[in-house]
Amino acid sequence: MDVLEKMRQEQIRVFREPFDKKSTSDTFSTGSYRWGTPSATCLRQLSWSEAFHVPMTDISDNKDFTSLSSAMERFASESEALAHTLAEILAEKSGRKSNFFRENCVKNTCYLRMNHYPPCPKPSEVYGLMPHTDSDFLTILYQDQVGGLQLIKNNRWIAVKPNPRALIVNIGDLFQAWSNGMYKSVEHRVMTNPTVERFSTAYFLCPSYDAVIECSGDYPAYRNFSFREFRQQVQEDVKKLGYKVGLPRFINHVY
Ligand SMILES: O=C(O)CCC(=O)C(=O)O
Ligand SMILES: [Fe+2]
């Protein structure tokens, strides 16, 4: 069976498990199963979805080899190869060395995220996933045929029409900083559906925590920062403010 089809089949199966089993699941390390938005204080801040957020090393180190881990492994390694190829092409186009990703992106910080959006009784009031940008270099996304993903283009939200023969590639915050804004981290969100559930799988290309994201060009818009620093700032903002500030925190104030 095709890598994508198998991934989807296994993903559906794992989300069908009872809540208790998923939340205490020892398939992956603790904390990999997430649902809702712990910091939400109103409906608008709630994401109507559940997810498994799994570092690549958890997939490859998994001792009890199941059909799920095998499907994830195949999906992850294909996505990883694609992400590296695309990142190298984009780097070269922006005039930067393309070996940065091979040297700095490691398996313990790259991860897969399996998302499930159950039908929602109040679709106009609740997001499936709150508007956000991804905190990585780039994301390879495989969505099903239901639809609901939207992104900002020219200040307007537009729907990303499902295409069974296409993967979606999103630029993340780190590529925006590294390319000095040549590539833009795209803001996106997922709308809920009143009757149909939706599944998606995403691979996130990330550098090691110590890797320094150096903004290129004579007038770098962002100061240098490590991926660790970026993550800590995001976590701190989410805890204190309830939302991620992201790149604006790293703007270069020299000029
Ligand atoms: O489900 C989708 O289409 C988007 C998922 C997403 O944006 C994410 O996991 O960061
Ligand atoms: Fe995202």
Side-chain angles (χ1 to χ4, degrees):
M1 193 191 267
D2 159 74
V3 178
L4 298 178
E5 253 174 79
K6 186 72 188 155
M7 179 67 241
R8 187 52 32 86
Q9 191 188 65
E10 290 297 326
Q11 177 172 348
I12 293 174
R13 211 167 48 83
V14 72
F15 279 120
R16 292 272 184 273
E17 300 276 10
F19 176 77
D20 282 353
K21 185 148 184 235
K22 288 182 283 195
S23 54
T24 55
S25 166
D26 54 6
T27 316
F28 312 112
S29 50
T30 33
S32 66
Y33 177 69
R34 290 133 192 233
W35 59 279
T37 314
S39 56
T41 52
C42 61
L43 270 188
R44 252 310 175 221
Q45 291 176 358
L46 178 78
S47 287
W48 189 267
S49 51
E50 54 177 342
F52 283 98
H53 177 118
V54 189
M56 294 283 273
T57 34
D58 270 25
I59 308 171
S60 50
D61 294 354
N62 192 349
K63 295 289 177 294
D64 74 58
F65 210 65
T66 58
S67 50
L68 170 65
S69 62
S70 138
M72 289 173 77
E73 174 94 62
R74 284 175 62 205
F75 179 89
S77 67
E78 299 267 353
S79 307
E80 180 181 44
L82 176 62
H84 274 276
T85 306
L86 291 172
E88 280 169 16
I89 295 170
L90 292 172
E92 270 165 26
K93 293 238 179 267
S94 73
R96 299 210 61 180
K97 275 216 182 109
S98 60
N99 58 357
F100 177 87
F101 304 97
R102 303 246 172 241
E103 283 168 9
N104 291 282
C105 294
V106 290
K107 279 204 191 300
N108 68 325
T109 50
C110 293
Y111 60 95
L112 267 200
R113 198 179 147 100
M114 299 185 280
N115 295 305
H116 174 219
Y117 305 88
C120 178
K122 291 191 179 291
S124 59
E125 291 171 45
V126 190
Y127 291 117
L129 200 55
M130 292 272 299
H132 67 282
T133 56
D134 293 342
S135 303
D136 63 350
F137 275 109
L138 53 85
T139 311
I140 309 281
L141 181 72
Y142 168 48
Q143 68 164 337
D144 65 13
Q145 296 311 296
V146 174
L149 174 64
Q150 298 184 340
L151 55 83
I152 289 238
K153 197 176 171 193
N154 301 328
N155 290 321
R156 292 181 57 174
W157 286 103
I158 60 159
V160 181
K161 230 166 112 188
N163 175 345
R165 300 175 53 80
L167 293 169
I168 295 153
V169 180
N170 280 342
I171 297 286
D173 300 336
L174 305 183
F175 225 133
Q176 175 166 333
W178 197 71
S179 69
N180 197 14
M182 179 168 165
Y183 302 120
K184 298 271 185 293
S185 183
V186 63
E187 190 173 1
H188 53 286
R189 66 183 186 186
V190 178
M191 308 309 277
T192 41
N193 186 301
T195 50
V196 195
E197 64 180 339
R198 175 175 182 271
F199 294 90
S200 72
T201 321
Y203 167 86
F204 297 83
L205 180 68
C206 299
S208 69
Y209 294 132
D210 292 324
V212 175
I213 314 305
E214 238 177 274
C215 184
S216 57
D218 294 338
Y219 299 98
Y222 305 98
R223 67 171 176 84
N224 292 354
F225 57 87
S226 70
F227 185 42
R228 176 175 285 109
E229 213 183 323
F230 188 80
R231 278 172 42 98
Q232 277 168 354
Q233 185 67 57
V234 169
Q235 279 162 9
E236 199 182 306
D237 285 335
V238 169
K239 211 163 140 196
K240 265 200 211 143
L241 311 169
Y243 59 90
K244 163 182 161 183
V245 178
L247 279 183
R249 285 266 186 239
F250 297 88
I251 284 173
N252 202 346
H253 293 294
V254 176
Y255 4 85

